Amino acid sequence: MQAPQTAEHVANFTLTVQQARLPLGDGETVNSFTINGTSPGPTLRVHQNDLVVVHMINKSPVSTSIHWHGIRVPNSADGVSGLTQDAVPPGHDYTYRFVAKDAGTYWYHSHQHSYDQTEQGFYGMFIVDPIKEASHDDVDATVDLHEWTFGDFRNFRYVQMVNGTAKQQQISATPGQWVRMRLVNTSSNPKLVTLAGAPYMIASIDGHDVNKPSLLTNTAIPLGTGQRYDIRFQMPSSGSVALFRATSTNKFVFEKTPAVVVGQQGASFASPAKGLPWFNLSSYGEPAPTTITPQSKFNASYTLTLNGHMGFENGRFGPMHTIDGEAFPNTPTIMVQEGQVIKLRFVNETDEYHPMHLHGHTFTVLSYNGHAISGSPIVLDTVLVLPHQTVEVAFLADNPGLWMIHCHNLFHAYMGMDMMIVYPNISTPFNVGNSSGNFPD
Ligand SMILES: [Cu+2]
């Protein structure tokens, strides 16, 4: 379960992890992780089918690991501490090797104490350029949506960030140019964004192209943690385009000023209308032939009920987040065999948003609340399950190993909402817990 040693094209990177005091851009300074001196770390950009070799040097005072979110890596390169490796201690290094099989927008982040380390800036973008371009973009920009939180329930404050700063981001573009904006939610809360100034299409979700996407206006796009939406639009003949954002933390009320302005600077925008309809991926784009459909024959189906209760997890008392009534590591394990097609039904019994993420595979969305999707095939690695919603997905088991499936609200994962998908005859020499020092969440 390792990548080949050599390939025609090899993309080599060195990532040095440290800690530093960083200004957020709003007057606040925080203890952040940095990668090669910045947070977020450098964007790693490769070509499809490149052999990627990443040498990670840990100069931070704590142990760590790197997970390649959404990339179908061989199991040994998945970066989950206690499962596919030991966390890398301070002063040590580790090398990840994998082939970037799928084009698209991905990201990387810590999977050791991932709740703390990712929120504290340990992440970066990973972009795989396709062998053959489906469309030409004059401007290619990444918009990473993060947030820092301070205080407790009584005195709570949060700072919304784009690309590592609280300041408004400005992207240059001229009239008539095509812009690809790669939106990535790296915070732990769901985000809502909307674009003003030009009609736009959602070209790709979680790195997988939508078939014949139509143009949208006055639509709010929800992004669960870990999800990526590539939106494309053509710059208008005059004026600029603005991205507004809201978050679950403020009940999805849009900010008054844009987070990102594309084109001419200094233009003023009316803040988005209240109650914009949310983008619905169940009927977007046009149908196309695909290997997994609601009519496929499934080798096994599992219902995963997402719930919670107060209790102890990781030695602290708090809101446990459960799958089938249990918190990790007591959650059920799903056994799969190579070649099987497995259906998963997520039933969200809570008032919260659960972006459910599967490592090492992609899945096809089948239905929402019992209604089969009717538009483009939708292939994801993270599906946002809304409060009291049921979502069915299915995946082909084609990547042997030990894989996590977990909520990507990293606090929920920390409080138990994780489980394992396991292929036969595979064991791990690594352990989770105090004696090993491996804490993947
Ligand atoms: Cu959750």
Side-chain angles (χ1 to χ4, degrees), residues 113-120 188 316 410-411 414 440-441:
H113 289 300
S114 67
Y115 171 48
D116 291 328
Q117 295 190 3
T118 307
E119 292 217 330
Q120 291 167 24
S188 257
R316 59 181 259 191
L410 294 173
F411 179 68
Y414 175 66
D441 302 311

Side-chain angles (χ1 to χ4, degrees), residues 133-150:
E133 249 183 7
S135 59
H136 175 73
D137 305 309
D138 303 297
V139 176
D140 186 325
T142 301
V143 170
D144 135 48
L145 302 160
H146 202 68
E147 70 190 39
W148 281 78
T149 54
F150 304 93

Side-chain angles (χ1 to χ4, degrees), residues 188 306-307 321-322 348 350 352-356 384-385 406-413 417:
S188 257
L306 311 176
N307 213 321
H321 286 73
T322 60
N348 184 356
T350 74
E352 295 180 289
Y353 295 77
H354 298 301
M356 299 305 293
L384 180 59
V385 188
H406 65 89
C407 182
H408 221 290
N409 176 318
L410 294 173
F411 179 68
H412 296 182
M417 197 171 269

Side-chain angles (χ1 to χ4, degrees), residues 135 180 201-205 208-211 213 230-232 284:
S135 59
R180 176 179 293 257
M201 65 184 83
I202 296 173
S204 172
I205 308 176
H208 300 274
D209 286 351
V210 173
N211 184 47
D230 284 18
I231 60 178
R232 294 184 70 238
Y284 187 63

Side-chain angles (χ1 to χ4, degrees), residues 97-210:
R97 310 164 56 81
F98 54 89
V99 174
K101 291 188 280 196
D102 304 308
T105 307
Y106 303 93
W107 65 301
Y108 60 90
H109 62 82
S110 165
H111 227 301
Q112 160 78 351
H113 289 300
S114 67
Y115 171 48
D116 291 328
Q117 295 190 3
T118 307
E119 292 217 330
Q120 291 167 24
F122 189 137
Y123 66 90
M125 299 304 120
F126 194 102
I127 295 171
V128 184
D129 287 320
I131 295 168
K132 226 180 112 201
E133 249 183 7
S135 59
H136 175 73
D137 305 309
D138 303 297
V139 176
D140 186 325
T142 301
V143 170
D144 135 48
L145 302 160
H146 202 68
E147 70 190 39
W148 281 78
T149 54
F150 304 93
D152 54 24
F153 288 106
R154 231 177 298 177
N155 202 357
F156 180 76
R157 196 170 94 71
Y158 73 106
V159 177
Q160 295 231 61
M161 311 279 289
V162 172
N163 297 346
T165 176
K167 293 184 176 140
Q168 186 180 75
Q169 286 289 287
Q170 312 200 323
I171 295 168
S172 299
T174 53
Q177 283 191 317
W178 276 95
V179 178
R180 176 179 293 257
M181 187 185 277
R182 300 171 189 264
L183 298 164
V184 186
N185 183 359
T186 63
S187 80
S188 257
N189 291 306
K191 301 264 184 188
L192 197 66
V193 297
T194 191
L195 202 73
Y200 60 96
M201 65 184 83
I202 296 173
S204 172
I205 308 176
D206 282 6
H208 300 274
D209 286 351
V210 173

